[in-house]
Amino acid sequence: MEATPSLNSTAYYLEMLSPLSNAEKLELISRLIESMKPKARSKAKSTLSRLKSFEGSWGGDTPVNDYVDGLRSNLPPRDITW
């Protein structure tokens, strides 16, 4: 179907999409709504910056790995190998 100058874009798309099933229309609506949402920041960068903000928060001179090993040693036994 060719667009005619007398049809506005909304009417043109409505006419073009009218043969679709309700399920197809709902899927299209869902995708359109998702495309309008603001894009999320990169989680990897955001997580890294959050983790860096905790650097040194536990205080003392204990190296991180020793601190983590101490925490793990107080956990109940499990079938997981660290």
Side-chain angles (χ1 to χ4, degrees):
M1 167 180 34
E2 282 188 39
T4 60
S6 62
L7 289 176
N8 66 28
S9 60
T10 304
Y12 169 75
Y13 285 112
L14 185 59
E15 186 178 335
M16 184 176 67
L17 300 173
S18 63
L20 297 177
S21 70
N22 285 344
E24 291 170 320
K25 289 175 186 175
L26 288 172
E27 176 65 24
L28 182 58
I29 290 168
S30 175
R31 288 183 183 197
L32 286 170
I33 290 171
E34 198 61 37
S35 74
M36 294 170 59
K37 291 181 180 177
K39 302 296 182 209
R41 294 183 314 190
S42 169
K43 281 191 171 188
K45 185 176 181 182
S46 176
T47 301
L48 181 60
S49 63
R50 272 190 265 137
L51 290 174
K52 284 189 174 202
S53 70
F54 291 112
E55 190 173 19
S57 294
W58 49 85
D61 296 329
T62 306
V64 174
N65 290 338
D66 292 345
Y67 185 76
V68 171
D69 289 340
L71 290 173
R72 288 180 178 155
S73 68
N74 290 319
L75 292 174
R78 295 180 7 177
D79 294 335
I80 297 176
T81 304
W82 299 100

Coordinates of all heavy atoms in Angstrom, one line a residue:
M1 N 0.9 -1.2 0.0 CA 0.0 0.0 0.0 C 0.9 1.2 0.0 O 1.8 1.3 0.8 CB -0.9 0.0 1.3 CG -1.6 1.3 1.5 SD -2.6 1.3 3.0 CE -1.9 0.3 4.2
E2 N 0.6 2.2 -0.8 CA 1.3 3.4 -0.9 C 0.6 4.5 -0.1 O -0.6 4.6 0.0 CB 1.4 3.9 -2.3 CG 2.5 3.2 -3.1 CD 2.7 3.8 -4.5 OE1 2.7 5.1 -4.6 OE2 2.8 3.1 -5.5
A3 N 1.5 5.3 0.6 CA 0.9 6.3 1.4 C 0.4 7.5 0.5 O 1.1 7.8 -0.5 CB 1.9 6.9 2.4
T4 N -0.7 8.0 0.8 CA -1.2 9.1 0.0 C -1.1 10.4 0.9 O -1.1 10.3 2.1 CB -2.7 9.0 -0.4 OG1 -3.5 8.8 0.8 CG2 -2.9 7.7 -1.2
P5 N -0.9 11.5 0.2 CA -0.7 12.8 1.0 C -1.9 13.1 1.9 O -1.7 13.8 2.9 CB -0.5 13.8 -0.1 CG -0.2 13.1 -1.3 CD -0.7 11.7 -1.2
S6 N -3.1 12.6 1.6 CA -4.2 13.0 2.4 C -4.3 12.2 3.7 O -5.0 12.6 4.6 CB -5.5 12.7 1.6 OG -5.6 11.4 1.3
L7 N -3.6 11.1 3.8 CA -3.6 10.3 5.0 C -2.5 10.8 6.0 O -1.3 11.0 5.5 CB -3.3 8.8 4.8 CG -4.5 8.0 4.1 CD1 -4.0 6.6 3.8 CD2 -5.7 8.0 5.0
N8 N -2.8 11.1 7.2 CA -1.7 11.4 8.1 C -1.0 10.1 8.5 O -1.5 9.0 8.3 CB -2.2 12.2 9.3 CG -3.2 11.4 10.2 OD1 -3.1 10.2 10.3 ND2 -4.1 12.1 10.9
S9 N 0.1 10.2 9.2 CA 0.9 9.0 9.4 C 0.2 8.1 10.4 O 0.3 6.8 10.2 CB 2.3 9.4 10.0 OG 2.1 10.2 11.2
T10 N -0.5 8.5 11.4 CA -1.2 7.7 12.3 C -2.3 6.8 11.6 O -2.4 5.6 11.8 CB -1.9 8.5 13.4 OG1 -0.9 9.3 14.1 CG2 -2.6 7.6 14.4
A11 N -3.0 7.5 10.7 CA -4.1 6.7 10.0 C -3.4 5.7 9.0 O -3.9 4.6 8.8 CB -4.9 7.7 9.2
Y12 N -2.3 6.1 8.4 CA -1.6 5.2 7.5 C -1.1 4.0 8.3 O -1.4 2.9 7.8 CB -0.4 6.0 6.9 CG 0.6 5.1 6.2 CD1 0.3 4.6 4.9 CD2 1.8 4.7 6.7 CE1 1.1 3.8 4.2 CE2 2.7 3.9 6.1 CZ 2.3 3.4 4.8 OH 3.2 2.6 4.1
Y13 N -0.5 4.1 9.4 CA 0.0 3.0 10.2 C -1.2 2.1 10.7 O -1.1 0.9 10.7 CB 0.9 3.4 11.3 CG 2.3 3.8 10.8 CD1 2.7 5.1 10.9 CD2 3.1 2.8 10.3 CE1 4.0 5.5 10.4 CE2 4.4 3.2 9.8 CZ 4.8 4.5 9.9 OH 6.0 4.8 9.4
L14 N -2.3 2.8 11.1 CA -3.4 2.0 11.6 C -4.0 1.2 10.5 O -4.3 0.0 10.7 CB -4.5 3.0 12.1 CG -5.7 2.4 12.8 CD1 -5.3 1.5 13.9 CD2 -6.7 3.4 13.2
E15 N -4.1 1.7 9.3 CA -4.6 0.9 8.2 C -3.6 -0.2 7.8 O -4.1 -1.3 7.5 CB -4.8 1.8 7.0 CG -5.4 1.2 5.8 CD -5.7 2.1 4.6 OE1 -5.8 3.3 4.8 OE2 -5.7 1.6 3.5
M16 N -2.4 0.1 7.9 CA -1.4 -0.9 7.6 C -1.4 -2.1 8.6 O -1.1 -3.2 8.3 CB 0.0 -0.3 7.5 CG 1.1 -1.2 7.1 SD 2.7 -0.4 6.9 CE 3.1 0.0 8.6
L17 N -1.6 -1.8 9.9 CA -1.5 -2.8 10.9 C -2.9 -3.4 11.2 O -2.9 -4.4 12.0 CB -1.0 -2.1 12.2 CG 0.4 -1.5 12.1 CD1 0.7 -0.7 13.4 CD2 1.4 -2.5 11.8
S18 N -3.9 -3.0 10.7 CA -5.3 -3.5 11.0 C -5.4 -5.0 10.6 O -6.1 -5.7 11.4 CB -6.4 -2.7 10.3 OG -6.2 -2.8 8.9
P19 N -4.7 -5.6 9.6 CA -4.9 -7.0 9.4 C -4.2 -7.9 10.4 O -4.4 -9.1 10.5 CB -4.2 -7.2 8.0 CG -3.9 -5.9 7.5 CD -4.0 -4.9 8.6
L20 N -3.3 -7.3 11.3 CA -2.6 -8.1 12.3 C -3.6 -8.7 13.3 O -4.6 -8.1 13.6 CB -1.5 -7.3 13.0 CG -0.4 -6.8 12.1 CD1 0.5 -5.9 13.0 CD2 0.4 -7.9 11.5
S21 N -3.2 -9.8 13.9 CA -4.0 -10.4 14.9 C -3.8 -9.6 16.2 O -2.9 -8.8 16.3 CB -3.6 -11.9 15.2 OG -2.3 -11.9 15.8
N22 N -4.7 -9.8 17.2 CA -4.6 -9.1 18.4 C -3.3 -9.4 19.1 O -2.7 -8.5 19.7 CB -5.8 -9.4 19.4 CG -7.1 -8.7 18.9 OD1 -7.0 -7.8 18.1 ND2 -8.2 -9.2 19.4
A23 N -2.9 -10.6 19.1 CA -1.6 -11.0 19.7 C -0.4 -10.3 19.1 O 0.5 -9.8 19.7 CB -1.4 -12.5 19.6
E24 N -0.4 -10.2 17.7 CA 0.6 -9.5 17.0 C 0.6 -8.0 17.4 O 1.7 -7.4 17.5 CB 0.5 -9.7 15.5 CG 0.8 -11.1 15.1 CD 0.4 -11.4 13.6 OE1 -0.7 -10.9 13.2 OE2 1.2 -12.1 13.0
K25 N -0.6 -7.4 17.5 CA -0.7 -6.0 17.8 C -0.2 -5.8 19.3 O 0.5 -4.8 19.5 CB -2.1 -5.5 17.7 CG -2.6 -5.4 16.3 CD -4.1 -5.1 16.3 CE -4.6 -5.1 14.9 NZ -6.1 -4.9 14.8
L26 N -0.5 -6.7 20.2 CA 0.0 -6.5 21.6 C 1.5 -6.6 21.6 O 2.2 -5.9 22.4 CB -0.7 -7.5 22.5 CG -2.2 -7.3 22.8 CD1 -2.7 -8.5 23.5 CD2 -2.3 -6.0 23.6
E27 N 2.1 -7.5 20.8 CA 3.5 -7.7 20.8 C 4.1 -6.4 20.3 O 5.2 -5.9 20.8 CB 3.9 -8.9 19.9 CG 5.4 -9.1 19.7 CD 6.1 -9.4 21.0 OE1 5.5 -9.9 22.0 OE2 7.4 -9.1 21.0
L28 N 3.6 -5.8 19.2 CA 4.1 -4.6 18.6 C 4.0 -3.5 19.7 O 4.9 -2.7 19.8 CB 3.3 -4.3 17.4 CG 3.7 -3.0 16.6 CD1 5.2 -3.1 16.2 CD2 2.8 -2.8 15.4
I29 N 2.9 -3.4 20.4 CA 2.7 -2.3 21.4 C 3.8 -2.5 22.5 O 4.4 -1.5 22.9 CB 1.3 -2.4 22.0 CG1 0.2 -1.9 21.0 CG2 1.2 -1.6 23.3 CD1 -1.2 -2.3 21.4
S30 N 4.0 -3.7 22.9 CA 5.0 -4.0 23.9 C 6.4 -3.5 23.5 O 7.1 -2.9 24.2 CB 5.0 -5.5 24.3 OG 6.0 -5.8 25.1
R31 N 6.7 -3.9 22.2 CA 8.0 -3.5 21.7 C 8.1 -1.9 21.6 O 9.2 -1.4 21.8 CB 8.3 -4.1 20.4 CG 8.5 -5.6 20.5 CD 8.8 -6.2 19.2 NE 9.0 -7.7 19.3 CZ 9.6 -8.4 18.3 NH1 10.0 -7.8 17.2 NH2 9.7 -9.7 18.5
L32 N 7.1 -1.3 21.2 CA 7.1 0.2 21.0 C 7.3 0.8 22.4 O 8.1 1.7 22.5 CB 5.8 0.7 20.4 CG 5.7 0.4 18.9 CD1 4.3 0.7 18.4 CD2 6.7 1.2 18.1
I33 N 6.5 0.3 23.4 CA 6.7 0.9 24.7 C 8.1 0.7 25.2 O 8.7 1.6 25.8 CB 5.7 0.3 25.7 CG1 4.3 0.8 25.3 CG2 6.0 0.6 27.1 CD1 3.1 0.0 26.0
E34 N 8.6 -0.5 25.0 CA 10.0 -0.8 25.5 C 11.0 0.1 24.8 O 12.0 0.6 25.4 CB 10.3 -2.3 25.2 CG 11.5 -2.8 26.0 CD 11.3 -2.8 27.5 OE1 10.2 -3.0 28.0 OE2 12.3 -2.5 28.2
S35 N 10.8 0.4 23.5 CA 11.7 1.3 22.8 C 11.7 2.7 23.3 O 12.6 3.5 23.1 CB 11.4 1.2 21.3 OG 10.2 1.9 21.0
M36 N 10.6 3.1 24.0 CA 10.4 4.5 24.4 C 11.1 4.7 25.8 O 11.3 5.8 26.2 CB 9.0 4.9 24.5 CG 8.3 4.9 23.1 SD 6.5 5.1 23.2 CE 6.3 6.6 24.1
K37 N 11.3 3.6 26.5 CA 11.9 3.7 27.9 C 13.3 4.2 27.8 O 14.1 3.8 26.8 CB 11.9 2.4 28.6 CG 10.5 1.9 28.9 CD 10.5 0.6 29.6 CE 9.1 0.1 30.0 NZ 9.2 -1.2 30.7
P38 N 13.8 5.0 28.7 CA 15.2 5.4 28.7 C 16.1 4.2 28.8 O 15.8 3.2 29.5 CB 15.3 6.3 29.9 CG 14.1 6.2 30.7 CD 13.1 5.5 29.9
K39 N 17.2 4.2 28.1 CA 18.1 3.1 28.2 C 18.8 3.1 29.5 O 19.2 4.1 30.0 CB 19.2 3.3 27.0 CG 18.6 3.3 25.7 CD 17.9 2.0 25.3 CE 17.3 2.1 23.9 NZ 16.2 1.3 23.7
A40 N 19.0 1.9 30.1 CA 19.7 1.7 31.4 C 21.2 1.9 31.2 O 21.7 1.6 30.1 CB 19.4 0.4 31.9
R41 N 21.8 2.5 32.2 CA 23.2 2.6 32.2 C 23.9 1.2 32.2 O 23.2 0.2 32.6 CB 23.8 3.4 33.4 CG 23.3 4.8 33.4 CD 23.9 5.5 34.6 NE 23.8 4.7 35.8 CZ 24.1 5.1 37.0 NH1 24.5 6.3 37.2 NH2 23.9 4.3 38.0
S42 N 25.1 1.1 31.8 CA 25.8 -0.1 31.8 C 25.9 -0.6 33.2 O 26.5 0.1 34.1 CB 27.2 0.0 31.2 OG 27.9 -1.1 31.4
K43 N 25.4 -1.8 33.5 CA 25.4 -2.4 34.9 C 26.8 -2.6 35.3 O 27.2 -2.5 36.4 CB 24.6 -3.6 34.9 CG 23.1 -3.4 35.1 CD 22.4 -4.7 35.4 CE 20.9 -4.3 35.7 NZ 20.2 -5.5 36.2
A44 N 27.7 -3.1 34.4 CA 29.0 -3.4 34.7 C 29.8 -2.2 35.3 O 30.4 -2.3 36.3 CB 29.8 -4.0 33.5
K45 N 29.6 -1.1 34.6 CA 30.3 0.1 35.0 C 29.7 0.6 36.3 O 30.4 1.0 37.2 CB 30.1 1.2 33.9 CG 30.9 2.5 34.2 CD 30.7 3.4 33.1 CE 31.5 4.7 33.4 NZ 31.4 5.7 32.3
S46 N 28.4 0.6 36.4 CA 27.7 1.0 37.6 C 28.1 0.2 38.8 O 28.3 0.7 39.9 CB 26.2 1.0 37.4 OG 25.5 1.3 38.6
T47 N 28.1 -1.1 38.7 CA 28.5 -2.0 39.7 C 29.9 -1.8 40.2 O 30.2 -1.8 41.4 CB 28.3 -3.5 39.3 OG1 26.9 -3.7 38.9 CG2 28.6 -4.5 40.4
L48 N 30.8 -1.7 39.2 CA 32.2 -1.4 39.5 C 32.4 -0.2 40.3 O 33.1 -0.1 41.3 CB 33.0 -1.4 38.2 CG 34.5 -1.2 38.4 CD1 35.1 -2.3 39.2 CD2 35.2 -1.1 37.1
S49 N 31.7 0.9 39.9 CA 31.8 2.2 40.6 C 31.3 2.0 42.1 O 31.8 2.6 43.0 CB 31.2 3.3 39.9 OG 29.8 3.1 39.8
R50 N 30.2 1.3 42.2 CA 29.6 1.1 43.6 C 30.6 0.3 44.4 O 30.7 0.6 45.6 CB 28.2 0.4 43.5 CG 27.1 1.3 43.3 CD 25.8 0.7 43.5 NE 25.3 0.3 42.1 CZ 24.8 -0.8 41.7 NH1 24.6 -1.7 42.6 NH2 24.5 -1.0 40.5
L51 N 31.2 -0.7 43.8 CA 32.1 -1.6 44.6 C 33.3 -0.7 45.0 O 33.8 -0.9 46.1 CB 32.5 -2.8 43.8 CG 31.5 -3.9 43.6 CD1 32.0 -5.0 42.7 CD2 31.0 -4.4 45.0
K52 N 33.8 0.1 44.1 CA 35.0 0.9 44.5 C 34.7 1.9 45.6 O 35.5 2.2 46.4 CB 35.4 1.7 43.2 CG 36.2 0.8 42.3 CD 36.8 1.7 41.2 CE 37.7 0.8 40.3 NZ 38.7 1.5 39.6
S53 N 33.4 2.3 45.8 CA 33.1 3.2 46.9 C 33.2 2.5 48.2 O 33.3 3.2 49.2 CB 31.6 3.7 46.7 OG 30.7 2.7 46.9
F54 N 33.2 1.2 48.3 CA 33.4 0.5 49.5 C 34.8 0.1 49.8 O 35.1 -0.5 50.9 CB 32.6 -0.8 49.5 CG 31.1 -0.6 49.5 CD1 30.3 -0.9 48.4 CD2 30.5 -0.1 50.6 CE1 28.9 -0.7 48.5 CE2 29.1 0.1 50.7 CZ 28.3 -0.2 49.6
E55 N 35.7 0.4 48.9 CA 37.1 0.1 49.1 C 37.6 0.6 50.4 O 37.5 1.8 50.7 CB 37.9 0.7 47.9 CG 39.3 0.2 47.9 CD 40.0 0.7 46.6 OE1 39.5 1.6 46.0 OE2 41.0 0.0 46.2
G56 N 38.2 -0.2 51.2 CA 38.8 0.1 52.5 C 37.7 0.4 53.6 O 38.1 0.8 54.7
S57 N 36.5 0.1 53.4 CA 35.4 0.4 54.3 C 35.5 -0.5 55.6 O 35.0 -0.1 56.6 CB 34.0 0.2 53.7 OG 33.8 1.2 52.7
W58 N 36.1 -1.7 55.5 CA 36.1 -2.5 56.7 C 37.2 -2.1 57.6 O 37.3 -2.6 58.7 CB 36.3 -4.0 56.2 CG 37.4 -4.2 55.3 CD1 38.8 -4.3 55.5 CD2 37.3 -4.2 53.8 NE1 39.5 -4.4 54.4 CE2 38.6 -4.4 53.3 CE3 36.2 -4.1 53.0 CZ2 38.8 -4.5 52.0 CZ3 36.5 -4.2 51.6 CH2 37.8 -4.4 51.1
G59 N 38.1 -1.2 57.2 CA 39.1 -0.7 58.1 C 40.2 -1.7 58.4 O 40.2 -2.8 58.1
G60 N 41.2 -1.2 59.2 CA 42.3 -2.1 59.6 C 43.3 -2.4 58.5 O 43.1 -1.9 57.3
D61 N 44.2 -3.3 58.8 CA 45.3 -3.6 57.8 C 45.1 -5.0 57.2 O 46.0 -5.5 56.5 CB 46.7 -3.5 58.5 CG 47.0 -2.1 59.0 OD1 46.5 -1.2 58.3 OD2 47.7 -2.0 60.0
T62 N 44.0 -5.6 57.4 CA 43.7 -6.9 56.9 C 43.5 -6.9 55.4 O 42.7 -6.1 54.9 CB 42.4 -7.5 57.6 OG1 42.6 -7.5 59.0 CG2 42.2 -9.0 57.1
P63 N 44.3 -7.7 54.6 CA 44.1 -7.7 53.2 C 42.7 -8.2 52.9 O 42.1 -9.0 53.6 CB 45.1 -8.7 52.7 CG 46.2 -8.7 53.8 CD 45.4 -8.5 55.0
V64 N 42.1 -7.8 51.8 CA 40.8 -8.2 51.4 C 40.6 -9.7 51.3 O 39.6 -10.2 51.9 CB 40.4 -7.6 50.0 CG1 39.1 -8.1 49.5 CG2 40.4 -6.1 50.1
N65 N 41.5 -10.4 50.7 CA 41.4 -11.9 50.6 C 41.4 -12.5 52.0 O 40.6 -13.5 52.2 CB 42.5 -12.4 49.7 CG 42.4 -12.1 48.3 OD1 41.3 -11.7 47.8 ND2 43.5 -12.1 47.5
D66 N 42.2 -12.1 52.9 CA 42.2 -12.6 54.3 C 40.8 -12.4 54.9 O 40.3 -13.2 55.7 CB 43.3 -12.1 55.1 CG 44.7 -12.5 54.6 OD1 44.7 -13.5 53.8 OD2 45.7 -11.9 55.0
Y67 N 40.3 -11.2 54.7 CA 39.0 -10.8 55.3 C 37.9 -11.7 54.8 O 37.1 -12.2 55.5 CB 38.7 -9.3 55.0 CG 37.5 -8.8 55.7 CD1 37.5 -8.5 57.0 CD2 36.3 -8.6 54.9 CE1 36.3 -8.0 57.6 CE2 35.2 -8.1 55.5 CZ 35.2 -7.8 56.9 OH 34.1 -7.3 57.5
V68 N 37.9 -11.9 53.4 CA 36.9 -12.8 52.8 C 37.1 -14.2 53.3 O 36.1 -14.9 53.6 CB 37.0 -12.7 51.3 CG1 36.1 -13.7 50.6 CG2 36.6 -11.3 50.8
D69 N 38.3 -14.7 53.4 CA 38.5 -16.1 53.9 C 38.0 -16.2 55.3 O 37.4 -17.3 55.6 CB 40.0 -16.4 53.8 CG 40.5 -16.6 52.4 OD1 39.6 -16.9 51.5 OD2 41.7 -16.5 52.2
G70 N 38.2 -15.2 56.1 CA 37.6 -15.3 57.5 C 36.1 -15.3 57.5 O 35.5 -16.1 58.3
L71 N 35.5 -14.6 56.6 CA 34.0 -14.6 56.5 C 33.5 -16.0 56.1 O 32.6 -16.5 56.6 CB 33.5 -13.5 55.6 CG 33.6 -12.1 56.1 CD1 33.2 -11.1 54.9 CD2 32.8 -11.8 57.3
R72 N 34.2 -16.5 55.1 CA 33.8 -17.8 54.5 C 34.0 -18.9 55.6 O 33.3 -19.9 55.6 CB 34.6 -18.1 53.3 CG 34.2 -17.3 52.1 CD 35.0 -17.6 50.9 NE 34.5 -16.8 49.7 CZ 35.2 -16.5 48.7 NH1 36.5 -16.9 48.6 NH2 34.7 -15.8 47.7
S73 N 35.0 -18.8 56.4 CA 35.3 -19.9 57.4 C 34.2 -19.9 58.4 O 34.1 -20.9 59.1 CB 36.7 -19.7 58.0 OG 36.7 -18.5 58.8
N74 N 33.5 -18.8 58.6 CA 32.4 -18.8 59.6 C 31.1 -19.3 59.0 O 30.1 -19.3 59.8 CB 32.3 -17.4 60.2 CG 33.5 -17.1 61.1 OD1 33.9 -17.9 61.8 ND2 34.0 -15.9 61.0
L75 N 31.0 -19.5 57.8 CA 29.8 -20.0 57.1 C 29.5 -21.5 57.5 O 30.5 -22.2 57.7 CB 29.8 -19.9 55.6 CG 29.8 -18.4 55.1 CD1 30.1 -18.5 53.6 CD2 28.6 -17.7 55.4
P76 N 28.3 -21.9 57.5 CA 28.0 -23.3 57.8 C 28.5 -24.2 56.6 O 28.6 -23.7 55.5 CB 26.5 -23.4 57.9 CG 26.0 -22.1 57.3 CD 27.1 -21.1 57.4
P77 N 28.9 -25.4 56.9 CA 29.5 -26.3 55.8 C 28.5 -26.5 54.7 O 27.3 -26.6 54.9 CB 29.8 -27.6 56.5 CG 29.6 -27.4 58.0 CD 28.9 -26.1 58.1
R78 N 29.0 -26.4 53.5 CA 28.1 -26.6 52.3 C 28.9 -27.4 51.3 O 30.1 -27.6 51.4 CB 27.7 -25.3 51.7 CG 26.8 -24.5 52.6 CD 26.3 -23.2 52.1 NE 26.6 -22.8 50.7 CZ 26.2 -21.7 50.2 NH1 25.5 -20.9 50.9 NH2 26.5 -21.4 49.0
D79 N 28.3 -27.9 50.3 CA 28.9 -28.7 49.2 C 29.5 -27.8 48.1 O 29.6 -28.3 47.0 CB 27.9 -29.7 48.6 CG 27.5 -30.7 49.6 OD1 28.3 -31.0 50.6 OD2 26.4 -31.2 49.5
I80 N 29.9 -26.6 48.5 CA 30.5 -25.7 47.5 C 32.0 -25.6 47.7 O 32.4 -25.3 48.9 CB 29.8 -24.3 47.5 CG1 28.3 -24.5 47.2 CG2 30.5 -23.4 46.6 CD1 27.6 -23.2 47.3
T81 N 32.8 -25.7 46.7 CA 34.2 -25.5 46.8 C 34.6 -24.1 46.5 O 34.2 -23.6 45.5 CB 35.0 -26.5 45.9 OG1 34.6 -27.8 46.1 CG2 36.5 -26.3 46.1
W82 N 35.3 -23.4 47.4 CA 35.7 -22.0 47.2 C 36.9 -22.1 46.4 O 37.6 -21.4 45.9 CB 35.8 -21.2 48.5 CG 34.5 -21.2 49.2 CD1 34.2 -21.9 50.3 CD2 33.4 -20.3 49.0 NE1 32.9 -21.6 50.7 CE2 32.4 -20.6 49.9 CE3 33.1 -19.3 48.0 CZ2 31.2 -20.0 50.0 CZ3 31.9 -18.7 48.1 CH2 31.0 -19.0 49.1

